Amino acid sequence: MSIFTPTNQIRLTNVAVVRMKKGGKRFEIACYKNKVVSWRSGAEKDLDEVLQTHSVFVNVSKGQAAKKDDLTGAFGTDDLTEICKQILANGELQVSDKERRTQLETSFRDIATIVAEKCVNPETKRPYTVNLIERAMKDIHYSIKANKSTKQQALEVIRQLKETMEIQRAHMRLRLMLPAKDAKRLKEKLKPLLQIVESEDFDEDLEMVVLVDPGCYREIDELIRCETKGRGSLEVLSLKDVEEGEEKL
Amino acid sequence: MGLTILEKIKVLQKNPANIRNLCILAHVDHGEQEYLLNLIDSPGHVDFSSEVSTAVRLCDGAIVIVDAVEGVCPQTQAVLRQAWLENIRPVLVINKIDRLILELKLTSQEAYSHLQKILGQVNAVTGSLFTSKVLEERAEKDSEEPEREASGYGEEVVYDWSAGLEEVDDSNLYFSPDQGNVVFASAIDGWGFSIQQFAEIYSQRMGIRPWVLLKTLWGDFYLNAKAKKIIKGAQAKGKKPLFVQLVLDNIWSLYDAVVTKRDKEKVDKVVTSLGVKIMARDTRHSDPKVLLSAICSQWLPVPQAVLSMVCEKLPSPLEMSAERVEKLLSVGARRFNSLPQQTQELKQVFLQCSSEDNAPVIVFVSKMFVVDSKALPHKRQRPLTHEEIAQRREVARQRHAERMASALAVKEQSAEEEEERETFVAFARVFSGVVRPGQRVFVLGPKYDPALGLNTLPEGCSAQSDSLPDTPHMSRSTLGGLYLLMGRELEELEEVPAGNVLGIGGLEDFVLKSATLSSSPACPPFTPLNFEATPIVRVAIEPKHPSEMPKLVRGMRLLNQADPCAEVLIQETGEHVLVTAGEVHLQRCLDDLRQRFAKIEISASKPIIPFRETVVRPPKVDMVNEDLGKQHKVAIIHQVKEDSSLGRSSDTLHVDSVGLVTLTTPNRLATVSIRAIPLPQEVMSLLESSAELIRTLEQVNMSLREGRALEVNPRTLEDIAALKDRLETLLQGHRWRNAVERIWAFGPRRYGPNILLNGVESYQRPSVWQCLNHSADKPHTTLRDLDNSIVSGFQLATLAGPMCEEPLMGVCFSLERWDVQTSASAPHQDSVEEEEDAVSQDAPGDIEAQGENAAVGQAKWRIEADCYGPVSGQLIAATKEACRHAFQAQPQRLMAAMYTCEIMATAEVLGRVYGVLGKREGRVVHEEMKEGTDMFTIKAILPVAESFGFTDEIRKRTSGLASPQLIFSHWEVISSDPYWVPTTEEEYLHFGEKADSANQALKYMNAVRRRKGLYVEEKTVEHAEKQRTLGKNK
C-alpha cells in the first residue's frame, strides 16, 4: 500500500496524455509534449519522436497498462504501435500552450493576409502591407475566434478597421450592357449599388463601366438578369481595381 | 565705408569679377580689393556625397581639406573626382598639422616627408583622373577612325606607347606649394600658412629674392649658409630641406616652448622676435593651448592664409572655362556643336556672365531645401497675385487630371495649407542675366530639347506671354522671393545679378530636385548632377499607427524633394520604400521624416522580397552527383504519412506517373486533364520582356470576341507577328510541335510569362494570333462554352503557386482532355457566371447576406442561375486545382530575384569583397582592372533576398574602399529543391538521415509562408527529449 507522499510521488514531466474511449473502455498513451499536433499536421514523421513508449495504458499517471483482451476487443488488433497510431490520430488531448500559441499566430497572420489581399488604401488605390494590417488589428484589440473560419473573421476585421483607418474593399470593375428599353428603369435601381460610374455610353444599348463593392456583385447580377429577362449582360473586367507597378513619388 | 554688411554685399554682388563661389569639400577682406565669398560647406561622409554634388555645380572653386594624419581617404578621392568632373578648380588645405607635432611626435624632418607623401597621394588621385580622361578621349578618337588607321600605310601604323599622355599638359592640375594652391594649417590652434608668406618674410630677412624662395622653399633644396646659396639635393647630402629649416623648425620650436616645455622665457623671446603682442591674460592662462593660439593667430592667421589663396587662385564667375560651359550645356552624349545655333550662342553669354538687363537669364537650381516659414524674412506668406492664383489653379487642374479623382486634389490642397510651416527654397546660382522676384521664366526639365523648343515656340517669345504652345518637358513659372543665404539667416533681395548664389522661393510646385531656369527657350537643360553615390539601401517604411498613412505619404513626398539623393517609391505590394545612399544617410532621412516632414512615429523594416515559382525537368543526378537511374532508392526510414491534402488517389483526382493530372468537378459533370511543362529559359525571358505587347494582343482579342473590330496600329501588328516568329523559333522540337498556334492564354493577369496550351484534339479554338490574319476568311471557329472558366482557372493558378503563393513563371500548362456533360443552358452568360463564382468563393460572408435580398418574384430566374452557375464556377476551381497538382507533379523550384552588382574596389581590399560576396551567396561574373587606375571593377550577381545590409557590410569590411551598386537584373532558378530529403544511399552517406545542412530554397520558402500566415511544415519542438522537463510549479 503506497502512501502518497512527496518522496514517492512520481511526477510526470514532459508527458502529454492522449485519451480515447472505445468499446466502453478508456485508453491512454504517453506522448512527448508539443509533438502531437505536429504529428497530426504531418510535420513530424518519426513516431519515436512522438511516443514515449509504444504501450497503451488505462491510466498513464498510475502506470496501469491496458489489458490485451480489452485492446483486441476495442481495436480488433493487438499490435500496440498500430493502436497507438489510431489513438494519436483520433484521441483527445490537452493542447499545450506552445502549440496553441503557434496556432493563434498562424491564424492571425492568415486573417491579416486575407485582409491585405482584399483591401486597398482608397487614396492611393494600393494595398496595405500585411504587417501594417497586423498592427492595426492589434490596435483595435481584435481577438481570434477559433470556431470561425479565417475568411469570415477577415470580413469582420475589415468592418472594424474601417473605423480607425482609411481602408476599403478593393472595387471590382464591371461592364454592364443594358438593353435600351429597360435601361432607364434599371439604372435607377442599380444606382445605390454602384460606387463609381467610369463611363457611360448610350447608343442602342446602355453600356456602362462601373466600379462596385465586391459584396454587391450578386445583387447586381440578380437584378440585371431578372429585370432584362436575360438580355442584359454583365462582364467582370477586373476582380480587383488596384494600381499596378511601381510608382515614384 | 559706412555701409552695413548687407548693403555691402549687395554692392559687391554687382561685380562678378570679385565674386568667388566655392565650396568646402570636407569640413572667411583681402588687400585693397574687397571680395564676396559665397561659401558652401558640405558634409564629408560618403553617404552625403550627393550634397557635395549639388554644391559643386554652383561653385567655381573648391577648398579640399585633408587631414594631415589620416591622409587621403576614400571620401577625399570621391570629392576630388567630383571637383574634377565638374571642371572646378580646387585648392588644398592640409589641416591638423598640430597632431603631427603633439600626437605623433614627429620631428620636423619626418613631418616634412609625411606632408610630401600626402601631397603625393592627392596628386596621384588627380593624376589618375587625368590619365583616365586622356585615355578615354583617346579611345573615343580611336573608335572614330579605325578604318582610317587600317587603311594607312604599313610603316606608319605604329602603336603609340606614350598613350598621348605626354602631349597633354597637366602641370597646372597638380597641387604644389610653390604654385600657391596649398595651405598648411592647424585650424584648432588658429594658424595656417602658404609658402608665399614665408617667402616674403625670409626674402626680407635673408636678402634672397622672393621668387627664388618661392621656387625653392618646397622641394629638395637646402641652404648652404657659407656660400649663401640655395642648393639642390638636400636628401642626397643629408641636409635639412629649406622647408624644414625655415618653416617647420620655427613652428616646432614654438610648440616645444609653449606646449611641451612651457618655458616662459623662451616664449617671451619668441613672442618678441615674431613681433606679436600677447595679452597678459593669455600668458598666465593654465592651458598652454590658449597662449599658443594667441600667438599663432597673430603670427600666421589661418583666415588670411586661406582667403588670400582663395582670392588669388580660384576663378571668379567671369573666368569660367569654355570647356566647363560646353560640358554643362551638352546633355547626355550629345556633342556641343550639334546643338542649335541659338544655343551655341549662349556660350558667349555664359563666358561674359553679364548682368545687363537684356542678357538672358539662366539659373541653375541644384537642390531644394526646407526652411521653417518663420525663418523667412517676410514671416508670413504674401497674398497670392492673380497670376499666381491662375498658375496654381492650372497646376491643380493638371494634377486633377492626372489623378482622375477629385477627392484627392481637395485633400492635397488642405494638406498644403496645413504644412505652411515648412517652405521650400531653391538653392541656385545665376549664370547669366539679372533675376528679380516675380520674374517669369521657363523651367526646363532634364529631357527638354532646345531644338524642339525653338521649333514649337514662336520666334522671340518670352516667358511673359501666357499663350504659348505646350512644349514637352518645359513649364513656366514665376519666381518667388529671392534670398541671400547667410548661414541660417535668409535675407530678402530685390535683384540678383549674374554669378551669385541665391535662394529662390515659390518653386516647389515646379522643381522637384534640380532644374534649369531660363528666360530663353534656346537654353538647354544643364547636364544632370554627377552623383558619386547612387541610392541603394532599401527599406520599407510604415507608420506606427496605420491611421497616419496619409501623413507618411506626404512626408515622404517632401523628403523626396528636399533630399537630392533619396528616392521614394510605392511598390505593387503597397509598401512604401525609401532608397538611400547608405546607412548613415538612411538614419538622417528617417530622423527628418520623424521630426520635420511627417511628424509621426515610423518604423523601418526589411522590404518584402518577391519570389517566383517554376518547374524544371526531372534531374538526372542526385545531390551528390551520382546517376539516379542506377541506384535503388533506400527505403525511407521515416514514415511518410499519406498526404491527405494532396489526395493523390482520391475519387476526383488522379495523377499518373508522367505528371498528367486528371480532375473531375465535384458534381461529376466536367473533367480536365492538365500537364505542366517547363518553358525554356529564352521563351520565358521573351515573354517577360514583351509583356506590354501581349497585353495589347489580349485587348485586341477581347474586342474581336465581342464582335467589335478594334483599330490596331500596323506597327503593333508587326510587333505581334515578330513575337510569334520568335516564339516559333524558340519552341522547337518534338514536344513543342505546333505549340505556338495552340497557345490558349498567357498568365497571370493575361500577360505573364506562363502559357496555357490547347492540347484537346477535338477543340479547334480561335488562336490568340487571330488578329494577324483576321482579314483572311477563315472558317469561323467558335469558342466552346465555358472556355473562359478554363482561362480564369489558369489565371488564378498562375497568380499564386502552391509553394508559397507567389506568381508562377516559365510554366506551360497543357490541357489535354476536357469533357463536359453540361445541361443545355444559356451559353452567352458563361463569362459572367465564372467570375461570379470566383467572387463567391472569395466572400462567403457576403453571399449569406445577399441571399436574403433576392426578390421573391425573381425565383424563376434564380433557379436557372443556380443550376447553371456552379458548373462554370466548379470548372474554374477544378482547372485551378488541376494546374496546381500538375505543377506539384513536376520537380518544383523557387526563383529568386537577382541583382547585378558592380563593385569598384582597390586591389588591396579585393579579397574582402570576395569574402562578403561569398557569404551572401553572390557569385562573381567578371573582374577587370580599370584602365589608368588601380581600381578593379567586379561584376557579381547577388540574390535580392541577401542584399539587405550588403552595402553596409561591404563598406565596413573594406573600410569604404569598395562601393557597390545594385541593379535588378533577372530571375534565377535556385538550384536546390525545397522539398528535398535524402533518398539514395549516397545521399544518406553524405547528408545523414535528416539532411541537416541548410536548404536555401526551403529557408526562403518557409520565410515567405510564415510571412503570409500559410502553414509551415515545421515542428513546434525539434527534439522531443530535449525539452525542459520540469513542471511549471518547480
Side-chain angles (χ1 to χ4, degrees):
Chain A
M1 189 63 208
S2 65
I3 307 162
F4 203 61
T5 61
T7 43
N8 62 5
Q9 171 192 0
I10 303 160
R11 253 180 199 277
L12 293 178
T13 52
N14 199 17
V15 174
V17 180
V18 182
R19 300 187 180 85
M20 192 160 92
K21 241 180 176 175
K22 199 161 188 192
K25 295 267 178 349
R26 211 168 74 142
F27 300 101
E28 296 185 349
I29 50 169
C31 306
Y32 290 105
K33 271 203 169 130
N34 300 323
K35 276 292 182 184
V36 183
V37 173
S38 302
W39 169 266
R40 285 189 179 168
S41 68
E44 180 59 68
K45 295 180 181 80
D46 189 355
L47 190 59
D48 291 334
E49 281 280 292
V50 183
L51 289 183
Q52 301 251 6
T53 164
H54 287 248
S55 47
V56 180
F57 299 88
V58 174
N59 188 332
V60 169
S61 61
K62 286 182 182 159
Q64 296 167 344
K67 294 197 179 74
K68 216 170 193 175
D69 297 347
D70 292 347
L71 286 176
T72 36
F75 294 98
T77 169
D78 61 348
D79 182 358
L80 284 176
T81 313
E82 205 44 54
I83 296 169
C84 282
K85 276 190 195 166
Q86 276 193 38
I87 297 176
L88 261 185
N90 305 317
E92 308 159 7
L93 102 142
Q94 174 96 41
V95 179
S96 75
D97 57 340
K98 240 185 208 163
E99 288 166 331
R100 176 149 288 136
R101 203 173 57 229
T102 44
Q103 217 173 344
L104 275 180
E105 258 167 33
T106 333
S107 53
F108 196 78
R109 290 234 127 171
D110 199 15
I111 294 172
T113 315
I114 295 173
V115 174
E117 264 170 18
K118 284 188 190 304
C119 295
V120 290
N121 180 351
E123 274 179 37
T124 52
K125 294 269 178 236
R126 283 179 178 279
Y128 282 107
T129 56
V130 179
N131 262 337
L132 200 73
I133 299 285
E134 262 182 50
R135 205 171 305 144
M137 278 166 70
K138 275 179 191 142
D139 280 357
I140 58 166
H141 304 293
Y142 186 79
S143 61
I144 289 151
K145 286 126 203 145
N147 52 355
K148 269 185 166 177
S149 79
T150 45
K151 264 184 189 165
Q152 274 174 314
Q153 292 188 63
L155 292 173
E156 172 68 20
V157 167
I158 294 172
R159 206 166 54 237
Q160 288 184 19
L161 282 183
K162 270 182 191 160
E163 288 158 20
T164 58
M165 61 189 281
E166 297 275 337
I167 193 168
Q168 192 183 62
R169 286 286 299 269
H171 287 149
M172 284 175 94
R173 184 174 280 120
L174 301 177
R175 178 154 58 211
L176 312 177
M177 303 274 265
L178 305 176
K181 195 162 59 118
D182 309 312
K184 210 154 201 180
R185 184 169 50 89
L186 208 52
K187 213 178 120 190
E188 284 308 307
K189 284 194 177 175
L190 284 171
K191 213 163 219 171
L193 298 174
L194 308 179
Q195 300 283 335
I196 294 165
V197 178
E198 281 191 338
S199 74
E200 218 175 320
D201 191 9
F202 211 138
D203 37 301
E204 281 167 40
D205 293 345
L206 177 67
E207 188 185 329
M208 293 201 307
V209 176
V210 294
L211 291 179
V212 301
D213 198 81
C216 305
Y217 176 81
R218 197 149 259 223
E219 223 173 312
I220 294 170
D221 180 44
E222 209 72 63
L223 231 133
I224 289 180
R225 192 159 337 109
C226 301
E227 296 285 316
T228 62
K229 312 249 169 10
R231 272 166 297 133
S233 74
L234 175 67
E235 189 179 349
V236 179
L237 296 179
S238 72
L239 280 174
K240 217 173 127 190
D241 177 43
V242 288
E243 293 281 320
E244 279 171 12
E246 288 187 351
E247 179 196 19
K248 279 193 182 176
L249 285 174
Chain B
M1 274 172 96
L3 291 168
T4 64
I5 292 173
L6 195 61
E7 282 166 341
K8 204 189 237 171
I9 288 172
K10 284 180 186 165
V11 172
L12 284 171
Q13 277 190 338
K14 304 254 195 273
N15 186 359
N18 295 342
I19 298 175
R20 298 289 183 273
N21 292 318
L22 53 103
C23 66
I24 305 183
L25 303 175
H27 312 252
V28 196
D29 356 17
H30 177 75
E32 281 131 45
Q33 188 65 53
E34 291 198 346
Y35 288 91
L36 172 65
L37 297 173
N38 285 316
L39 267 185
I40 308 166
D41 188 6
S42 51
H45 195 278
V46 195
D47 280 8
F48 300 110
S49 64
S50 60
E51 302 284 344
V52 178
S53 311
T54 57
V56 159
R57 172 58 61 89
L58 302 186
C59 297
D60 299 310
I63 306 177
V64 181
I65 301 184
V66 177
D67 188 320
V69 177
E70 287 168 17
V72 176
C73 297
Q75 60 264 40
T76 320
Q77 294 182 359
V79 293
L80 280 171
R81 192 155 48 227
Q82 275 175 323
W84 172 263
L85 287 174
E86 285 286 347
N87 283 17
I88 70 173
R89 205 178 295 166
V91 292
L92 186 70
V93 173
I94 299 179
N95 196 14
K96 300 194 190 175
I97 291 183
D98 60 305
R99 288 180 69 193
L100 296 179
I101 309 173
L102 297 176
E103 280 177 31
L104 301 186
K105 306 243 186 287
L106 298 184
T107 64
S108 52
Q109 181 81 41
E110 284 163 346
Y112 170 68
S113 54
H114 186 78
L115 291 175
Q116 255 185 332
K117 218 190 287 166
I118 290 174
L119 208 59
Q121 284 170 347
V122 176
N123 283 335
V125 174
T126 327
S128 71
L129 288 170
F130 177 72
T131 38
S132 61
K133 182 190 154 206
V134 171
L135 287 178
E136 247 169 58
E137 276 174 4
R138 209 184 140 75
E140 250 172 57
K141 233 184 266 170
D142 283 351
S143 61
E144 270 169 25
E145 36 191 81
E147 63 280 343
R148 196 185 303 171
E149 225 168 87
S151 64
Y153 308 109
E155 59 268 33
E156 275 190 31
V157 184
V158 178
Y159 191 78
D160 194 358
W161 283 102
S162 68
L165 278 178
E166 284 77 7
E167 298 154 27
V168 190
D169 179 40
D170 59 350
S171 59
N172 57 351
L173 280 173
Y174 297 118
F175 297 107
S176 164
D178 55 299
Q179 296 225 0
N181 55 8
V182 179
V183 161
F184 304 93
S186 165
I188 196 166
D189 291 337
W191 58 267
F193 62 89
S194 63
I195 299 273
Q196 263 164 323
Q197 276 170 295
F198 274 96
E200 274 161 32
I201 294 171
Y202 284 108
S203 67
Q204 289 165 5
R205 201 178 291 174
M206 295 165 46
I208 306 174
R209 269 160 298 178
W211 65 266
V212 177
L213 264 178
L214 206 57
K215 277 263 182 307
T216 55
L217 207 43
W218 180 262
D220 199 17
F221 298 95
Y222 71 97
L223 185 71
N224 192 332
K226 278 181 207 154
K228 290 234 165 193
K229 263 184 183 168
I230 293 168
I231 300 166
K232 203 177 159 110
Q235 226 170 5
K237 290 177 187 157
K239 301 269 177 153
K240 268 187 185 173
L242 210 53
F243 187 71
V244 177
Q245 194 181 358
L246 298 184
V247 182
L248 291 183
D249 274 352
N250 290 326
I251 296 169
W252 254 248
S253 62
L254 179 67
Y255 268 83
D256 188 55
V258 178
V259 183
T260 322
K261 294 196 180 135
R262 310 191 69 168
D263 185 344
K264 227 172 203 156
E265 283 169 30
K266 204 173 171 198
V267 171
D268 286 340
K269 225 167 81 188
V270 172
V271 167
T272 43
S273 73
L274 290 176
V276 291
K277 286 199 181 75
I278 301 297
M279 303 269 236
R281 189 183 49 190
D282 290 333
T283 47
R284 263 175 292 152
H285 204 283
S286 59
D287 187 1
K289 282 272 183 185
V290 175
L291 177 61
L292 185 70
S293 61
I295 300 172
C296 291
S297 57
Q298 289 183 53
W299 178 37
L300 298 167
V302 68
Q304 199 193 345
V306 175
L307 289 183
S308 62
M309 174 170 74
V310 163
C311 296
E312 280 160 24
K313 294 297 165 190
L314 294 185
S316 77
L318 282 179
E319 300 160 37
M320 197 198 280
S321 71
E323 196 187 355
R324 183 172 177 209
V325 176
E326 287 187 16
K327 211 166 172 182
L328 283 179
L329 294 184
S330 43
V331 183
R334 287 186 66 173
R335 298 199 160 259
F336 181 72
N337 38 24
S338 70
L339 291 167
Q341 190 58 40
Q342 276 161 292
T343 307
Q344 293 197 32
E345 282 163 13
L346 278 177
K347 184 177 164 186
Q348 276 315 308
V349 177
F350 270 93
L351 294 178
Q352 280 164 7
C353 190
S354 126
S355 313
E356 306 289 315
D357 274 341
N358 55 3
V361 175
I362 298 168
V363 177
F364 183 76
V365 177
S366 79
K367 75 177 260 190
M368 302 290 284
F369 63 96
V370 181
V371 181
D372 229 342
S373 295
K374 283 181 213 144
L376 291 180
H378 47 80
K379 300 277 193 247
R380 234 161 35 81
Q381 294 214 308
R382 340 169 244 119
L384 300 171
T385 61
H386 271 292
E387 264 179 343
E388 277 175 324
I389 289 172
Q391 193 77 41
R392 291 228 173 148
R393 202 172 286 149
E394 201 180 77
V395 173
R397 206 172 289 143
Q398 276 171 6
R399 209 182 286 154
H400 190 79
E402 277 167 26
R403 304 267 159 84
M404 295 282 288
S406 57
L408 215 61
V410 172
K411 278 226 177 81
E412 198 84 6
Q413 236 143 38
S414 62
E416 262 171 25
E417 282 160 20
E418 208 178 288
E419 83 195 32
E420 266 194 343
R421 297 181 49 209
E422 307 282 353
T423 315
F424 275 101
V425 174
F427 183 43
R429 170 173 169 178
V430 188
F431 281 87
S432 155
V434 185
V435 193
R436 294 192 176 82
Q439 203 166 20
R440 304 264 292 164
V441 287
F442 292 111
V443 179
L444 311 172
K447 282 185 190 157
Y448 170 72
D449 183 2
L452 202 74
L454 285 172
N455 284 340
T456 46
L457 295 173
E459 191 70 33
C461 73
S462 73
Q464 304 293 343
S465 50
D466 276 324
S467 56
L468 287 178
D470 268 348
T471 325
H473 307 298
M474 178 199 241
S475 58
R476 272 163 296 136
S477 92
T478 310
L479 300 180
L482 304 180
Y483 307 106
L484 177 65
L485 307 170
M486 295 176 55
R488 290 183 66 89
E489 305 286 310
L490 293 176
E491 291 296 338
E492 200 157 20
L493 295 173
E494 279 311 306
E495 58 167 38
V496 181
N500 284 296
V501 173
L502 79 163
I504 307 174
L507 285 175
E508 59 259 41
D509 294 339
F510 303 97
V511 181
L512 181 60
K513 288 183 177 183
S514 66
T516 313
L517 312 178
S518 173
S519 62
S520 152
C523 180
F526 284 18
T527 44
L529 298 168
N530 299 308
F531 287 126
E532 269 301 306
T534 44
I536 30 173
V537 175
R538 297 168 75 98
V539 288
I541 293 193
E542 278 174 5
K544 267 262 158 58
H545 304 290
S547 52
E548 293 174 328
M549 201 69 183
K551 277 189 192 164
L552 176 72
V553 174
R554 206 179 66 235
M556 288 179 91
R557 214 161 259 160
L558 289 178
L559 175 71
N560 186 37
Q561 196 166 22
D563 195 305
C565 199
E567 261 179 41
V568 169
L569 38 100
I570 305 177
Q571 286 193 315
E572 203 167 329
T573 50
E575 278 181 306
H576 291 72
V577 173
L578 174 67
V579 199
T580 58
E583 309 287 309
V584 183
H585 185 208
L586 170 70
Q587 216 48 51
R588 224 233 18 227
C589 286
L590 291 180
D591 284 347
D592 274 357
L593 264 181
R594 278 192 198 114
Q595 284 153 18
R596 298 185 76 171
F597 300 130
K599 295 200 178 77
I600 54 167
E601 283 188 79
I602 52 173
S603 61
S605 59
K606 213 171 151 171
I608 293 172
I609 291 139
F611 284 97
R612 294 286 183 271
E613 299 178 17
T614 192
V615 290
V616 293
R617 285 161 184 279
K620 293 277 191 304
V621 291
D622 68 2
M623 288 291 283
V624 280
N625 276 336
E626 294 289 331
D627 197 352
L628 265 182
K630 289 174 195 156
Q631 300 185 61
H632 67 101
K633 295 226 166 142
V634 176
I636 296 160
I637 300 171
H638 316 304
Q639 301 178 20
V640 180
K641 297 212 317 178
E642 186 59 37
D643 205 334
S644 56
S645 65
L646 276 177
R648 300 241 156 214
S649 54
S650 69
D651 51 349
T652 54
L653 176 72
H654 172 77
V655 184
D656 73 3
S657 59
V658 288
L660 183 69
V661 173
T662 310
L663 194 85
T664 315
T665 55
N667 62 2
R668 317 267 160 175
L669 283 179
T671 308
V672 285
S673 295
I674 293 179
R675 183 199 305 279
I677 311 162
L679 279 176
Q681 177 73 37
E682 304 82 45
V683 177
M684 186 162 74
S685 45
L686 175 66
L687 289 178
E688 214 191 354
S689 57
S690 41
E692 260 326 293
L693 194 62
I694 298 175
R695 211 169 174 173
T696 333
L697 177 71
E698 196 58 42
Q699 277 166 1
V700 174
N701 283 339
M702 194 94 122
S703 60
L704 277 177
R705 221 170 293 149
E706 281 163 17
R708 283 181 296 141
L710 196 75
E711 271 313 305
V712 192
N713 188 341
R715 243 328 240 303
T716 320
L717 276 183
E718 268 171 43
D719 287 345
I720 291 173
L723 173 67
K724 192 184 169 191
D725 286 345
R726 286 287 306 280
L727 274 178
E728 264 162 4
T729 49
L730 288 174
L731 289 174
Q732 293 289 349
H734 156 72
R735 57 194 291 158
W736 298 111
R737 184 169 304 147
N738 209 10
V740 179
E741 273 304 322
R742 288 190 288 135
I743 291 176
W744 192 332
F746 299 94
R749 301 208 185 96
R750 295 176 184 271
Y751 56 87
N754 302 291
I755 293 177
L756 179 65
L757 274 192
N758 177 12
V760 185
E761 294 289 319
S762 55
Y763 179 33
Q764 289 297 325
R765 194 185 173 278
S767 142
V768 288
W769 313 107
Q770 59 185 334
C771 61
L772 290 179
N773 46 10
H774 61 94
S775 54
D777 284 320
K778 271 181 62 177
H780 195 63
T781 48
T782 49
L783 294 175
R784 230 201 254 190
D785 299 347
L786 304 177
D787 177 275
N788 243 320
S789 302
I790 298 282
V791 175
S792 298
F794 164 73
Q795 302 295 353
L796 286 174
T798 48
L799 192 61
M803 290 167 84
C804 48
E805 304 292 322
E806 293 282 307
L808 302 190
M809 191 170 184
V811 186
C812 171
F813 289 107
S814 169
L815 183 75
E816 316 220 323
R817 201 169 66 117
W818 179 23
D819 301 328
V820 190
Q821 304 145 0
T822 175
S823 52
S825 55
H828 62 270
Q829 282 176 357
D830 58 353
S831 66
V832 180
E833 294 294 339
E834 125 221 337
E835 302 291 1
E836 174 187 5
D837 207 83
V839 175
S840 61
Q841 286 175 348
D842 242 359
D846 291 355
I847 291 156
E848 282 166 15
Q850 289 141 27
E852 291 144 23
N853 293 347
V856 189
Q858 297 156 354
K860 184 186 148 211
W861 291 99
R862 284 196 63 189
I863 292 162
E864 195 182 316
D866 280 353
C867 74
Y868 177 71
V871 179
S872 68
Q874 280 174 22
L875 193 59
I876 294 179
T879 315
K880 183 187 161 197
E881 279 309 305
C883 284
R884 284 178 85 118
H885 287 305
F887 183 88
Q888 283 173 319
Q890 303 293 330
Q892 308 163 58
R893 292 290 185 274
L894 267 189
M895 291 182 93
M898 293 302 215
Y899 279 133
T900 46
C901 162
E902 293 239 357
I903 307 174
M904 295 264 284
T906 50
E908 59 261 37
V909 296
L910 216 54
R912 273 174 273 173
V913 170
Y914 274 73
V916 177
L917 275 174
K919 193 173 135 199
R920 292 180 173 258
E921 314 268 327
R923 86 176 177 264
V924 174
V925 181
H926 81 240
E927 169 202 302
E928 70 180 358
M929 195 154 174
K930 210 176 165 208
E931 220 171 322
T933 63
D934 63 340
M935 300 289 271
F936 280 86
T937 316
I938 303 161
K939 202 171 163 196
I941 290 187
L942 183 82
V944 175
E946 304 286 337
S947 67
F948 192 70
F950 171 73
T951 330
D952 202 34
E953 189 179 348
I954 215 162
R955 277 199 193 142
K956 270 184 193 150
R957 290 285 302 278
T958 61
S959 341
L961 286 170
S963 47
Q965 288 194 10
L966 301 171
I967 304 153
F968 173 77
S969 72
H970 65 290
W971 294 94
E972 197 170 282
V973 177
I974 301 172
S975 59
S976 56
D977 178 1
Y979 296 110
W980 178 80
V981 277
T983 45
T984 64
E985 225 164 304
E986 294 287 336
E987 285 176 342
Y988 270 125
L989 277 177
H990 202 271
F991 297 101
E993 250 173 53
K994 284 191 171 172
D996 294 325
S997 53
N999 182 341
Q1000 197 68 22
L1002 182 67
K1003 210 178 84 193
Y1004 290 149
M1005 188 178 88
N1006 279 347
V1008 176
R1009 292 191 72 107
R1010 205 167 295 128
R1011 194 188 77 217
K1012 292 187 171 173
L1014 299 169
Y1015 171 68
V1016 181
E1017 198 177 67
E1018 238 178 15
K1019 301 156 192 169
T1020 332
V1021 173
E1022 185 62 43
H1023 301 286
E1025 286 282 13
K1026 286 183 188 167
Q1027 297 188 71
R1028 188 179 137 87
T1029 54
L1030 295 174
K1032 255 189 197 147
N1033 47 358
K1034 274 195 179 169

